[in-house]
Amino acid sequence: MVAKLFFLLLAITLVRNNGLYVVLIVLAALFVMMKWAKKTAAILISLILAINLVIQGPLFSALSIEKSHFSESVAIPLQQIAYVIKSDGEVSDEQKEFLDSILPIEEWGELYRKTTPNKVKHSLDFNDAFLEAHKMEFLSVWAQMLPCNFAKYVRAWALETEGYWHFGYYGEIGATTSLYDSEPRSLIGFQVSPSEIAEGQSRVLSPILCMGSIVWIVVTAFALALSSGGNDRRRLLCFIPALSILLTLYIAAPIASDFRYVFP
């Protein structure tokens, strides 16, 4: 049983960018909530951390595998800074000079899109190498801008994570390249448009099956389980993986609405 749990958790850390954080939260909850599992959880945490350090360190280097770019981890700070510049927030000359080294200052606002930072970080003028070399400086500038632009930071965060908390939020069903950009085609003598079908399904099913709605169902179920009392903590523990995924998205969501990011 423990071996199966170990390999399952290890696999999660290797196939998801946020997998390690989710696994550590789950094991920490297991350690705190289950007295009989404290030793097992501690051993699993140590093993999984050690193996990940080896795989993402020496092994990746030996195989010439690049780690995820820093820009992938700071989607929300990028969004917040871009929104501040777009909405004429307060940015000092020194901060502008630093940000201009990452992306020409005028492009921050021009490329801002409320649901994803892709336009910013995929710009041909985006200096990813500079950002990689100045990670702490970037975080420092982001933190310095926070007090003067708190409301704008909150709004940018809310827009970037809206699909994961807004009940009934409209989200596309399927992949853009395979459905929404497809031309009408003949099927059994009828003209069928994959784009129109996908669009219609998205609008009809979004109130029920969108991620924001499902999140509230999960949170409500967790709250009911928590308030029901009793000594059986296993019913609470089963919610931890889903809630952990949500927590990582609220910290570093790469896009406002995408089903694959909330799949356990």
Side-chain angles (χ1 to χ4, degrees):
M1 180 65 178
V2 174
K4 290 180 180 179
L5 178 62
F6 167 72
F7 285 113
L8 175 63
L9 295 177
L10 181 61
I12 292 173
T13 68
L14 298 177
V15 299
R16 297 184 66 113
N17 281 339
N18 62 348
L20 180 59
Y21 307 109
V22 170
V23 166
L24 291 178
I25 293 172
V26 169
L27 288 175
L30 186 65
F31 182 88
V32 172
M33 298 170 67
M34 300 294 178
K35 291 182 178 180
W36 57 266
K38 286 184 180 293
K39 183 177 180 180
T40 300
I43 292 173
L44 288 176
I45 289 173
S46 302
L47 284 174
I48 288 172
L49 277 174
I51 292 173
N52 270 267
L53 286 173
V54 171
I55 291 176
Q56 296 186 26
L59 184 59
F60 274 21
S61 297
L63 298 176
S64 300
I65 298 175
E66 290 188 7
K67 295 180 180 179
S68 297
H69 289 211
F70 180 65
S71 59
E72 299 293 329
S73 304
V74 290
I76 289 179
L78 288 172
Q79 283 289 80
Q80 291 170 322
I81 290 171
Y83 180 72
V84 166
I85 294 173
K86 181 179 179 65
S87 57
D88 298 321
E90 295 189 37
V91 189
S92 70
D93 291 338
E94 185 179 355
Q95 291 163 351
K96 286 182 180 178
E97 183 180 356
F98 176 82
L99 295 173
D100 191 68
S101 299
I102 300 173
L103 181 72
I105 199 69
E106 65 277 2
E107 289 191 37
W108 282 91
E110 292 173 3
L111 297 175
Y112 172 76
R113 300 293 183 274
K114 66 178 183 178
T115 59
T116 178
N118 285 349
K119 286 284 186 180
V120 170
K121 64 185 183 183
H122 293 164
S123 168
L124 294 177
D125 295 325
F126 188 80
N127 193 339
D128 193 59
F130 180 87
L131 180 59
E132 289 287 338
H134 299 82
K135 297 175 183 176
M136 295 309 299
E137 292 92 330
F138 171 80
L139 293 176
S140 176
V141 169
W142 168 77
Q144 290 167 18
M145 291 172 59
L146 170 61
C148 297
N149 300 284
F150 182 77
K152 294 182 185 296
Y153 267 38
V154 171
R155 178 168 174 76
W157 173 85
L159 291 171
E160 174 67 7
T161 60
E162 188 173 7
Y164 311 111
W165 58 261
H166 185 169
F167 193 94
Y169 182 85
Y170 170 79
E172 294 179 344
I173 295 175
T176 300
T177 52
S178 61
L179 291 177
Y180 294 89
D181 294 339
S182 298
E183 295 294 327
R185 61 196 64 184
S186 178
L187 181 65
I188 322 178
F190 297 94
Q191 283 294 108
V192 177
S193 172
S195 177
E196 290 181 7
I197 293 173
E199 181 76 17
Q201 287 180 334
S202 293
R203 296 203 176 278
V204 171
L205 297 176
S206 277
I208 305 170
L209 298 180
C210 78
M211 289 165 290
S213 301
I214 295 171
V215 164
W216 280 108
I217 292 171
V218 171
V219 170
T220 301
F222 177 73
L224 290 173
L226 191 62
S227 63
S228 64
N231 296 320
D232 189 358
R233 298 181 176 181
R234 289 175 296 180
R235 58 187 170 188
L236 299 179
L237 195 61
C238 69
F239 290 98
I240 301 301
L243 295 176
S244 301
I245 291 172
L246 286 174
L247 178 61
T248 63
L249 286 173
Y250 292 147
I251 294 172
I255 190 169
S257 176
D258 202 325
F259 271 107
R260 65 192 175 98
Y261 289 114
V262 293
F263 284 155

